[in-house]
Amino acid sequence: MKSKKVFYILFGLIFISVFSMCFFTEHNFTELNQKLIIQGIGVDYEKSEFKVTVQAPDFKNAEKEPTTQVIQVSGKTMMETSNKISEQTGLKPFYSQNLILIVGKSAAENGIDKFMDFFIHYDETRPNATICLCESTASEALNFKKDDKTVTAQELKNLINKKLKSDIIHFIGDIKNETSDAFLPCLKINKDNIISENVAVFKDCKLIEILNYENTLGFLLLKGIDNSNTFDIKVDNFRDVTFEIEKVSSNIRSEIKNNNPEFSIDLKINVRTFEIDSNFLSENSEKIKESVKEKLTKLTEISMSKILSLNCDVLGLGKILLRKNTDYFKSIRESFKTKIKDFKTIINIKPNITEPWIFF
């Protein structure tokens, strides 16, 4: 008798569990072909509206590998555009698989605070998704085709230097931090190619400058980020030698002199030469090292001057000052951003020339 009771109890529990699972599946589970799995999002601003472009795989043909579809909508708010995507496709947008957020130049100039809340507070979005600027429009980037195939969100993400740590949460953190300003890597569309080589500078939620290639290279060096850039240097005024930047380490120190902050930036830079004439390298090693030092010093000094002239702190000087010279920083907290252009900086570069790769 007791065993029968146990059997009925177990049977009842199993029945309830199975019934609950079926009910949950029927009412809450969304089939794959009912989802729009968004993998790339672009935001532009046109005619007082947001123009949102999304990339998503198209699962209509279940027998073949999904193709990439691109959808565009406009609206006054990001939530309105999300609803319009659903209305246009008949599918529920899923943002949890998003890989990249591309901000168009117009949207960045209008102010990212107008739309970024959606990507921070909407529970389905990914705050660790890569974020970048497009020097033209985000729509162009997500619609870009190469060899008659749409360049996917994953491919666009792969263009961004991972060492920049360019994700939504870090970007918003720098925007909101009183001791720093934010920057973003840029996508640039040429006639038949799309590249990432420049950096955009933000102040008070708005884009204020896109650094050119040379200023971007100097900025990356100052941040201690190598980007595998190559450059030519004339050695002893008669021979050009090509180098590639391999590894960079940056150490920034601050001290107060005559009631003004002074920053020393020590850069250790490994560069590899493509010169295969070993005799030339050994005979001119000091000249080569001096030429590399002179080239990179000039490059970083020009970049530093440009950045400081914008009254922006994308190098994190304020954080260093707050950490090392706390009382002084507190005394100039209110006027810190207006004083940046007058900060004295000294750049010390120690190049290390490594041997070329030679294949036989």
Side-chain angles (χ1 to χ4, degrees):
M1 187 71 180
K2 191 173 182 180
S3 60
K4 284 187 177 181
K5 285 184 179 180
V6 172
F7 171 78
Y8 289 133
I9 291 171
L10 289 174
F11 179 80
L13 290 173
I14 293 170
F15 178 80
I16 291 170
S17 299
V18 172
F19 179 80
S20 298
M21 289 174 64
C22 292
F23 181 85
F24 177 80
T25 300
E26 181 180 353
H27 291 273
N28 294 285
F29 182 74
T30 306
E31 295 287 347
L32 189 63
N33 60 7
Q34 295 176 312
K35 296 179 181 180
L36 187 71
I37 303 176
I38 294 173
Q39 295 184 331
I41 306 174
V43 181
D44 295 301
Y45 190 74
E46 295 179 5
K47 300 177 181 179
S48 301
E49 282 192 325
F50 294 112
K51 179 180 178 182
V52 174
T53 307
V54 299
Q55 264 195 22
D58 189 349
F59 294 101
K60 285 182 181 177
N61 192 335
E63 296 179 0
K64 294 183 178 180
E65 185 177 338
T67 57
T68 299
Q69 58 179 320
V70 181
I71 300 146
Q72 292 181 320
V73 295
S74 296
K76 295 291 184 183
T77 67
M78 291 300 299
M79 189 57 72
E80 182 183 348
T81 63
S82 182
N83 293 334
K84 284 187 176 181
I85 291 171
S86 182
E87 292 170 5
Q88 181 174 315
T89 62
L91 303 172
K92 181 179 179 180
F94 275 75
Y95 297 93
S96 60
Q97 301 300 310
N98 183 45
L99 300 171
I100 188 167
L101 169 61
I102 304 174
V103 181
K105 187 178 178 183
S106 60
E109 290 173 334
N110 185 58
I112 58 94
D113 56 323
K114 308 291 195 308
F115 62 88
M116 284 302 294
D117 273 357
F118 176 81
F119 297 99
I120 295 297
H121 297 126
Y122 189 49
D123 59 359
E124 286 187 2
T125 58
R126 290 182 62 198
N128 64 337
T130 296
I131 179 172
C132 65
L133 182 98
C134 184
E135 295 188 25
S136 51
T137 66
S139 172
E140 286 182 83
L142 287 167
N143 278 288
F144 188 81
K145 291 181 181 291
K146 194 168 184 179
D147 300 327
D148 294 325
K149 290 183 65 177
T150 300
V151 175
T152 66
Q154 181 64 63
E155 291 171 318
L156 293 171
K157 178 182 177 179
N158 291 343
L159 293 173
I160 306 301
N161 187 341
K162 293 181 176 62
K163 294 178 182 177
L164 286 172
K165 296 181 180 178
S166 179
D167 56 55
I168 293 172
I169 198 70
H170 278 95
F171 176 66
I172 293 300
D174 285 337
I175 287 286
K176 298 295 185 182
N177 197 320
E178 66 171 349
T179 63
S180 63
D181 289 296
F183 65 91
L184 286 179
C186 297
L187 294 176
K188 185 176 182 179
I189 300 172
N190 296 328
K191 184 178 180 181
D192 55 0
N193 201 12
I194 184 166
I195 58 175
S196 177
E197 64 178 17
N198 296 335
V199 163
V201 177
F202 285 73
K203 187 177 180 67
D204 299 329
C205 297
K206 291 186 178 183
L207 169 71
I208 62 167
E209 187 85 16
I210 296 176
L211 301 181
N212 63 26
Y213 176 75
E214 287 76 18
N215 284 338
T216 295
L217 177 53
F219 166 73
L220 293 176
L221 292 175
L222 292 166
K223 291 283 288 184
I225 299 171
D226 56 275
N227 204 26
S228 299
N229 298 87
T230 58
F231 55 94
D232 295 324
I233 292 178
K234 191 173 289 294
V235 179
D236 208 19
N237 295 318
F238 75 93
R239 183 165 180 169
D240 286 335
V241 179
T242 302
F243 295 89
E244 179 183 49
I245 296 173
E246 284 191 311
K247 186 178 179 181
V248 184
S249 64
S250 175
N251 180 40
I252 304 178
R253 295 171 285 111
S254 68
E255 58 181 320
I256 309 303
K257 291 186 177 181
N258 299 322
N259 204 36
N260 288 304
E262 182 177 296
F263 295 89
S264 297
I265 301 102
D266 297 324
L267 299 176
K268 293 181 180 179
I269 305 175
N270 285 359
V271 294
R272 183 178 293 276
T273 176
F274 291 96
E275 175 64 56
I276 61 173
D277 187 342
S278 57
N279 290 330
F280 174 81
L281 289 175
S282 59
E283 291 171 4
N284 296 276
S285 60
E286 290 305 314
K287 289 179 182 178
I288 291 173
K289 186 174 289 189
E290 193 58 36
S291 296
V292 170
K293 181 179 179 179
E294 183 180 340
K295 169 82 172 183
L296 297 183
T297 298
K298 184 178 180 181
L299 191 69
T300 50
E301 285 179 346
I302 291 173
S303 181
M304 175 66 82
S305 178
K306 175 64 178 178
I307 292 167
L308 296 184
S309 72
L310 298 172
N311 276 340
C312 282
D313 186 17
V314 289
L315 291 171
L317 301 181
K319 291 179 181 178
I320 294 168
L321 200 60
L322 176 61
R323 188 169 64 248
K324 300 294 184 180
N325 310 96
T326 306
D327 291 339
Y328 178 84
F329 179 83
K330 288 180 178 178
S331 71
I332 64 165
R333 184 188 297 270
E334 299 300 323
S335 59
F336 170 70
K337 292 291 179 70
T338 62
K339 292 178 178 289
I340 291 178
K341 64 179 183 298
D342 299 320
F343 287 173
K344 183 178 180 180
T345 58
I346 301 171
I347 300 172
N348 306 301
I349 291 183
K350 296 178 181 178
N352 178 44
I353 315 296
T354 58
E355 293 296 323
W357 288 301
I358 301 177
F359 300 99
F360 297 97

